């Protein structure tokens, strides 16, 4: 019959349509399609996310990562859901395991790579959408992690007047960071060091707007490269600290900056504007201080009108550590965590670092109607864009052997020596005292608080090698010259215990990780 003749055709159509249905069900969602434009991938992923998953992308963890590691620093899958079940925006300083009386317990390069890999694997396999985590470290003058190369501090590098050298230096820092699983560094500091009372002048490239701008651009190009997406050996730079940091009342780190808008725009913002427009920096960190009575983390004029609207910044704004909580405790402009979260998000701060104080209240604030989910979506979209541009969806893991291989290589050490030599400034060679005449000198005095012990500066870690000034001079002088040493003066009345040479050596001797 006609019906019997049609049956094979109907069955064939059913098989074909069924196969098409199965294929459609198995096809990856658009956000996992690397050939699509980043903005399309962001829009697709955002449309699939719940409110809790969105807010998780706006949160970082640091000390609270203890929930996902054991006493030895090993990742613990059994407890990972406590922090990672909804995904997570960032994890701070994965090189650190925990604090101790003599400084942080730390991971080796291999262990850092293993730790970041384990977290990415868990998130990929155990969360609904598999959104990778972003890891960040400090890298002011080299990656701040064990066995990374330490270069001269920013003020010393500024004395080279050489942006190309800074690009080479930060290329090394970026390579070492990326090999361990990090895709963002909290550097460079492009504040102007205008008040010598400020304890962080050493973090700056000095007081001159043009010099700081050019050196900042060199550093950014070393970290990020000259275009996005990130290359496999590059990391996002974070501009610090936006803005007016370094010109505080009384030289106090979190004090107000009494700056008229003309001075702010003509000098203090110059380096940041160039870093955004020319350097294409993708992350910005607001400063702790107030400008005209408004804390930077709630300064809509600064973060939205100037940074985003006037300069065209499309990247991510991350809070300085605990700065959103300081809106309550220091600036007294917020009544509680909920109020601080509302104000910071409205001003444009996308991610709260380093631990969730205020932003963990955002889901409840959206449900109560006090915060618009549209504002949440805008911040999440920027965070996701960064993760796509970093290549984390396609390449979430790193080679643990590579992490060790690229750490403080002979070539990197040679570059550190070159940078150190170019950083030296000789103000006066009185009576032609230099170079020293070995045949005429019988006794040589080495005097000063930094002569004995390896003092690498703030934002540094143990590179695994080093020679202090006293030891180096003693070795170079040989047996024919008597070396005498005196501390001469103390820089401070007391030192933190981890800064004392003997305590550090004792700690490192006990370190098993």
């Amino acid at each position: 019959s006609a019906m019997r003749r049609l049956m094979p055709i109907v069955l064939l159509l059913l098989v074909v349509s069924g196969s098409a249905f199965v294929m459609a069900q198995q096809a990856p969602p658009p956000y996992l399609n690397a050939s699509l434009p980043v903005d399309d991938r962001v829009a697709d992923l955002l449309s699939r996310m719940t409110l809790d998953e969105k807010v998780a992308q706006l949160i970082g963890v640091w000390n609270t990562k203890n929930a996902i590691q054991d006493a030895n620093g090993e990742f613990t899958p059994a407890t990972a859901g406590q922090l990672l079940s909804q995904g997570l925006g960032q994890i701070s300083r994965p090189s650190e395991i925990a604090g101790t009386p003599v400084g942080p317990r730390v991971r080796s390069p291999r262990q850092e790579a293993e730790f970041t890999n384990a977290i990415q694997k868990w998130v990929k396999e155990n969360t609904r959408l598999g959104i990778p985590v972003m890891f960040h470290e400090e890298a002011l003058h080299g990656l701040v992690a064990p066995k990374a190369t330490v270069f001269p501090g920013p003020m010393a590098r500024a004395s080279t007047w050489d942006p190309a050298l800074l690009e080479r230096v930060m290329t090394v820092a970026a390579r070492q960071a990326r090999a361990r699983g990090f895709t963002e560094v909290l550097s460079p500091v492009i504040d102007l060091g205008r008040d010598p009372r400020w304890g962080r002048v050493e973090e700056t490239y000095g007081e001159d707007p043009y010099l700081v701008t050019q050196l900042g651009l060199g550093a950014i190009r070393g970290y990020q490269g000259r275009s996005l997406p990130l290359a496999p050996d590059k990391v996002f730079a974070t501009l610090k600290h936006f803005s007016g940091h370094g010109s505080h009342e009384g030289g106090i780190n979190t004090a107000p900056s009494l700056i008229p808008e003309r001075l702010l725009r003509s000098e203090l913002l110059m380096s940041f504007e160039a870093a955004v427009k020319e350097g294409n920096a993708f992350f910005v960190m607001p400063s702790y201080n107030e400008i005209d009575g408004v804390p930077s983390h709630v300064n809509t004029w600064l973060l939205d009108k100037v940074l985003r609207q006037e300069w065209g910044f499309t990247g991510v704004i991350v809070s300085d550590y605990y700065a959103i909580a300081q809106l309550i405790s220091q600036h007294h402009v917020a009544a509680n965590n909920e109020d601080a979260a509302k104000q910071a998000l409205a001003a444009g701060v996308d991610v709260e670092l380093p631990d969730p104080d205020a932003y963990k209240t955002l889901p409840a604030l959206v449900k109560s109607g006090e915060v618009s989910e549209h504002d949440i979506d805008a911040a999440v979209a920027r965070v996701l864009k960064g993760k796509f541009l970093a290549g984390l969806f396609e390449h979430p893991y790193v080679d643990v052997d590579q992490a060790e291989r690229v750490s403080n290589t002979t070539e990197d050490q040679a570059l550190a020596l070159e940078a150190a030599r170019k950083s030296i400034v000789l103000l006066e060679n009185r009576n032609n005292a230099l170079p020293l005449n070995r045949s005429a000198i019988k006794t040589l005095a080495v005097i000063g608080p930094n002569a004995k012990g390896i003092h690498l500066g703030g934002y540094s870690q143990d590179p695994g090698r080093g020679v202090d000034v006293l030891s180096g001079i003693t070795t170079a002088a040989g047996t024919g010259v008597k070396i005498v040493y005196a501390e001469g003066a103390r820089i401070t009345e007391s030192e933190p215990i981890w800064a004392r040479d003997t305590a550090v050596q004792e700690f490192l001797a006990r370190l098993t990780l």
Side-chain angles (χ1 to χ4, degrees):
S1 67
M3 181 60 71
R4 288 180 178 176
R5 288 195 301 271
L6 287 172
M7 282 298 291
I9 298 173
V10 171
L11 289 172
L12 178 60
L13 289 173
L14 287 172
V15 170
V16 171
S17 63
S19 299
F21 176 76
V22 171
M23 290 175 65
Q25 290 294 99
Q26 294 176 342
Y31 76 87
L32 292 179
N33 185 347
S35 66
L36 292 178
V38 167
D39 288 344
D40 291 351
R41 299 177 73 184
V42 169
D44 176 67
L45 178 52
L46 189 61
S47 71
R48 300 169 185 270
M49 298 173 72
T50 67
L51 177 60
D52 287 339
E53 288 169 338
K54 291 174 183 177
V55 171
Q57 293 300 310
L58 309 183
I59 286 174
V61 299
W62 182 23
N63 294 320
T64 47
K65 71 176 179 287
N66 289 334
I68 58 173
Q69 64 184 26
D70 62 20
N72 295 318
E74 296 289 334
F75 177 71
T76 52
T79 61
Q82 296 178 32
L83 280 183
L84 304 175
S85 62
Q86 302 296 325
L88 189 66
Q90 295 202 12
I91 292 181
S92 299
R93 303 180 185 176
S95 63
E96 298 179 0
I97 297 172
T100 76
V102 290
R105 294 178 61 216
V106 293
R107 294 180 172 90
S108 68
R110 175 183 292 275
Q111 289 166 334
E112 287 184 80
E114 291 172 344
F115 185 67
T116 59
N117 279 350
I119 291 173
Q120 299 290 35
K121 185 174 188 295
W122 193 95
V123 170
K124 184 180 179 68
E125 297 178 355
N126 294 278
T127 62
R128 193 173 68 88
L129 297 169
I131 303 172
V133 176
M134 184 171 285
F135 299 90
H136 74 249
E137 286 279 2
E138 300 281 0
L140 187 68
H141 52 113
L143 177 65
V144 183
K147 295 186 179 179
T149 308
V150 180
F151 294 92
M155 192 66 74
R157 296 198 313 277
S159 300
T160 69
W161 299 77
D162 191 346
L165 176 64
L166 266 69
E167 183 173 351
R168 292 167 59 203
V169 164
M170 295 316 175
T171 293
V172 171
R175 183 178 69 244
Q176 294 179 359
R178 191 63 183 268
R180 303 180 193 210
F182 319 145
T183 47
E184 180 195 359
V185 293
L186 303 186
S187 185
V189 172
I190 52 175
D191 304 313
L192 303 187
R194 289 291 176 85
D195 191 330
R197 296 171 298 179
W198 184 41
R200 303 181 69 172
V201 170
E202 66 167 43
E203 298 179 32
T204 75
Y205 294 128
E207 64 181 359
D208 182 76
Y210 182 76
L211 178 63
V212 172
T213 296
Q214 296 306 313
L215 296 177
L217 288 171
I220 292 165
R221 289 163 181 156
Y223 293 129
Q224 278 194 193
R226 293 172 182 259
S227 63
L228 294 175
L230 289 178
D233 59 350
K234 293 297 183 182
V235 295
F236 289 121
T238 305
L239 307 181
K240 297 164 54 175
H241 306 85
F242 192 64
S243 187
H245 213 37
S247 298
H248 312 83
E249 186 177 21
I252 300 170
N253 192 48
T254 59
S257 295
L258 306 179
I259 309 165
E261 184 177 345
R262 178 170 180 170
L263 174 60
L264 189 70
R265 286 184 176 274
S266 63
E267 297 188 22
L268 302 185
L269 292 183
M270 178 190 291
S271 56
F272 289 94
E273 184 174 6
V276 169
K277 292 182 175 179
E278 299 178 44
N280 297 312
F282 194 77
F283 280 80
V284 168
M285 177 179 283
S287 54
Y288 284 125
N289 56 277
E290 301 171 1
I291 296 176
D292 198 21
V294 181
S296 295
H297 284 75
V298 294
N299 194 329
T300 305
W301 173 81
L302 183 69
L303 301 183
D304 186 58
K305 183 179 185 299
V306 175
L307 180 61
R308 292 200 184 280
Q309 294 181 39
E310 292 185 17
W311 297 352
F313 178 70
T314 59
V316 178
I317 298 176
V318 295
S319 81
D320 207 337
Y321 277 25
Y322 305 111
I324 295 180
Q326 286 182 5
L327 297 173
I328 308 167
S329 62
Q330 297 272 349
H331 300 287
H332 306 289
V333 298
N336 49 40
N337 281 329
E338 289 82 358
D339 190 18
K342 286 164 54 178
Q343 292 191 52
L345 184 73
V349 179
D350 299 315
V351 179
E352 180 180 22
L353 299 179
D355 284 307
D357 290 313
Y359 276 23
K360 65 185 178 183
T361 69
L362 286 173
L365 291 171
V366 171
K367 292 172 184 175
S368 68
E370 296 178 72
V371 168
S372 166
E373 190 164 357
H374 175 77
D375 291 342
I376 299 285
D377 288 352
V380 175
R382 291 187 284 264
V383 171
L384 295 177
K385 181 178 180 180
K387 293 186 175 185
F388 282 117
L389 289 175
L392 285 173
F393 284 84
E394 288 70 50
H395 305 288
Y397 310 120
V398 293
D399 182 342
V400 297
D401 293 326
Q402 177 77 352
E404 288 283 350
R405 281 196 299 269
V406 303
S407 292
N408 208 12
T409 65
T410 302
E411 293 78 13
D412 297 341
Q413 293 169 16
L415 179 59
L417 178 60
E418 177 188 344
R421 286 172 171 163
K422 290 183 176 179
S423 297
I424 294 171
V425 176
L426 179 63
L427 297 180
E428 181 181 1
N429 188 11
R430 182 171 296 180
N431 300 324
N432 295 316
L434 297 177
L436 298 176
N437 185 342
R438 182 185 297 273
S439 62
I441 293 176
K442 302 303 179 184
T443 303
L444 191 62
V446 181
I447 303 170
N450 286 327
K452 187 176 182 180
I454 300 172
H455 304 286
L456 300 177
Y459 292 92
S460 64
Q461 256 283 0
D462 175 28
R465 62 185 296 276
V467 179
D468 67 10
V469 174
L470 179 60
S471 300
I473 290 176
T474 301
T475 300
T479 57
V481 178
K482 179 182 178 181
I483 303 296
V484 295
Y485 159 74
E487 185 179 29
R490 299 296 300 275
I491 294 176
T492 58
E493 288 297 319
S494 62
E495 294 178 287
I497 190 169
W498 55 85
R500 298 176 195 156
D501 186 60
T502 54
V504 171
Q505 297 308 316
E506 290 170 6
F507 168 61
L508 293 175
R510 295 197 306 269
L511 194 62
T512 58
L513 287 169

